Amino acid sequence: MFEIGSVLFSARQIQSRVRELGEEISRDYAGKELLMVGILKGAAMFMMDLAREIHIPVQMDFMSLSSYGAATESTGTVQTRRDLDADISNRHVLVVEDIVDTGLTLNYLKQSLQLRQPASVKICAFLDKPARRKLELEIEYKGYVVEGDDFLVGYGLDMAEEGRALPYIAAVRR
Ligand code: IMP
């Protein structure tokens, strides 16, 4: 188990930021059909909240990738544990992720999705933690940028599977 340190974003803050993101995405994709692709398990909570704030028709699919396992460091090797059900060719894909840290996971994912010839692929990450970024990655929609490299839990984010269900986002006490 871990000890919770400072709370970075309260449930109320999260809710209002998700609403803003939903409005922005609804405007940008107006008249198009959107396929939201959630990355399990961390983005599940954000995905469900965001989907309810998007006011155009959306479809949803999920992928599961292995990155950290029980460790808190990205290994750089990304494996697909569960692939999409949907054929994404000619479709507008929005990848929904909990947090971008080194960027390795989403960089890999974006490249592999591009090979399937979608109409577009964009990224929506609730948190952007640029301190440890290893490559340049465009994140079209982001909830918050977090300075420093604290390990965060809550709102889907876990530390060795603990803490995902917390309704707020907090730093783990070191
Ligand atoms: P990246 O490949 O280093 O960008 O790692 C992305 C993934 O690492 C995220 O989807 C999370 O699952 C996990 N991750 C990165 N930082 C944190 C954190 O502070 N708390 C919990 N999980 C994290």
Side-chain angles (χ1 to χ4, degrees), residues 37-51:
V37 170
I39 309 304
L40 295 172
K41 297 174 251 183
M45 219 178 276
F46 175 41
M47 171 103 159
M48 294 301 106
D49 287 348
L50 183 63

Side-chain angles (χ1 to χ4, degrees), residues 68 74 97-99 101-105 129 151-152 157-158:
Y68 288 14
S74 184
E97 178 60 306
D98 50 2
I99 186 167
D101 183 20
T102 63
L104 292 168
T105 309
K129 198 165 73 168
F151 199 77
L152 309 177
L157 295 166
D158 72 303

Side-chain angles (χ1 to χ4, degrees), residues 103-118:
L104 292 168
T105 309
L106 282 189
N107 182 61
Y108 161 85
L109 180 65
K110 198 168 184 180
Q111 284 180 3
S112 74
L113 293 179
Q114 296 280 18
L115 296 175
R116 303 182 195 185
Q117 299 179 323

